Amino acid sequence: MRSRFEPDRQLTARMLVTMFLLGLLYVAFVAALIVLLKSVVLVVLIAAGLLGAQYWYSDRIALYAMHGRLVTREEAPQLHGVIDRLCAAADMPKPRVAISRMDLPNAFATGRNADHAVVCVTTGLQRRLEPAELEGVLAHELSHVAHRDVAVITIASFLGVIAGLIVRFAFYSQLFGGRNRDQNTAAALALVMGVSALVYAISFLLIRALSRYRELAADRAGAMLTARPSALASALTKVTGDIARIPTQDLRTAQAFNAFFFTPALGPGTTVANLFSTHPSLERRLEALAEISAELGETA
């Protein structure tokens, strides 16, 4: 798919490198599981099944988790209208449109390719933003679809998901079934748990490094499309401030999808080091948008 969104060769290169490294890690991970569990068929079937589910149903899973549903033009005429205009300006296929009935002010794009993409906004975001600010956020999300990084981050996150599941399974298996196993079985489970934990840690760091850059790339692409980086900066500032006032329980529900969000669902006291964050800091994003504003000669 070609669009008028400005190509980002650095993003493309980073996606290729991340997928290559995760691919190597995935092959080594599967090989280690086969050696430890001594069952080629079982490991391959489970890995292939989970990867297929992650790839084919990622949009449905994300919408279900975020209480979102697809909406027609009649149900959300203003939202469809903005996306129609942006897609026409970007010369790209229109994704499906969804609304999440959550007060958490956020938006995300998901889907395995442009033909199966979904852009979802929460009612909390719609209620808080001015039309120009909402347009900036939607341009940001559409750029994720155009640059194909939504599909890449979906596939990339799979390895971390399966490694995390295996760590939990091995842990509870040891915890509740340890008395009925011999030492060799217990040692094998411990090795599986250790390998899985290592794979999870490496994939965690690789995905977050890619995620931080793709957010800056989407900010730039969205701002260039609308030619109003100040509107996107205003939306970022407003949303980040409001998220701090969202109840912790609601934030925990959304945090599993942080890598897909416009801004991370982090409340007070949950600030993490830049190395572990899915998004650049607000200050870094605002600084980049200010540079774009100067580049475009934008006036208030």
Side-chain angles (χ1 to χ4, degrees):
M1 180 188 70
R2 292 186 177 182
S3 73
R4 294 194 183 103
F5 275 111
E6 183 180 348
D8 193 313
R9 292 182 177 84
Q10 288 191 46
L11 176 61
T12 301
R14 287 167 187 253
M15 289 192 295
L16 289 174
V17 170
T18 300
M19 290 302 293
F20 176 74
L21 293 175
L22 285 173
L24 290 179
L25 189 62
Y26 182 56
V27 170
F29 181 47
V30 170
L33 289 181
I34 290 173
V35 171
L36 292 171
L37 299 180
K38 300 177 181 179
S39 177
V40 176
V41 176
L42 178 62
V43 171
V44 171
L45 284 178
I46 292 175
L50 289 175
L51 177 59
Q54 179 89 348
Y55 181 73
W56 290 98
Y57 300 107
S58 60
D59 53 342
R60 300 181 191 180
I61 294 170
L63 286 178
Y64 176 79
M66 293 303 298
H67 310 292
R69 70 177 185 89
L70 299 177
V71 291
T72 63
R73 187 183 302 276
E74 290 72 24
E75 292 175 295
Q78 293 182 338
L79 186 59
H80 271 271
V82 175
I83 293 178
D84 282 338
R85 291 194 299 274
L86 290 171
C87 288
D91 191 22
M92 64 179 288
K94 180 183 177 182
R96 291 170 293 166
V97 180
I99 291 179
S100 168
R101 301 292 176 183
M102 295 182 69
D103 190 52
L104 175 73
N106 230 317
F108 64 91
T110 185
R112 61 185 182 273
N113 54 42
D115 294 328
H116 297 87
V118 179
V119 172
C120 180
V121 299
T122 65
T123 52
L125 185 76
Q126 290 179 290
R127 180 169 58 82
R128 288 171 170 87
L129 297 188
E130 298 297 327
E133 295 169 339
L134 180 62
E135 182 182 60
V137 172
L138 291 173
H140 170 106
E141 296 303 330
L142 288 173
S143 77
H144 283 313
V145 177
H147 288 154
R148 301 183 179 89
D149 58 82
V150 168
V152 171
I153 207 72
T154 297
I155 297 172
S157 63
F158 160 75
L159 185 56
V161 169
I162 189 173
L165 288 174
I166 290 175
V167 169
R168 292 183 185 181
F169 172 79
F171 174 77
Y172 287 115
S173 181
Q174 284 277 62
L175 186 64
F176 296 111
R179 294 181 179 178
N180 301 322
R181 293 195 175 91
D182 56 29
Q183 291 184 347
N184 291 333
T185 303
L189 278 173
L191 283 173
V192 168
M193 190 172 177
V195 170
S196 300
L198 179 62
V199 168
Y200 178 81
I202 295 173
S203 61
F204 179 95
L205 294 176
L206 287 174
I207 291 167
R208 274 152 179 75
L210 174 62
S211 180
R212 289 192 297 274
Y213 185 84
R214 85 182 191 113
E215 292 303 325
L216 289 174
D219 283 347
R220 177 173 181 80
M224 295 297 286
L225 181 68
T226 63
R228 294 193 64 181
S230 61
L232 182 56
S234 176
L236 268 170
T237 303
K238 189 179 293 185
V239 169
T240 302
D242 283 354
I243 280 180
R245 293 188 286 271
I246 297 296
T248 303
Q249 183 176 355
D250 294 342
L251 294 180
R252 286 175 180 169
T253 301
Q255 281 177 12
F257 294 91
N258 266 344
F260 295 89
F261 284 148
F262 172 61
T263 54
L266 296 174
T270 60
T271 303
V272 292
N274 289 335
L275 182 63
F276 303 113
S277 177
T278 56
H279 291 62
S281 66
L282 175 62
E283 292 73 18
R284 176 69 183 90
R285 296 176 76 175
L286 293 179
E287 178 185 341
L289 288 170
E291 292 174 359
I292 298 170
S293 183
E295 180 182 335
L296 294 175
E298 183 187 30
T299 57

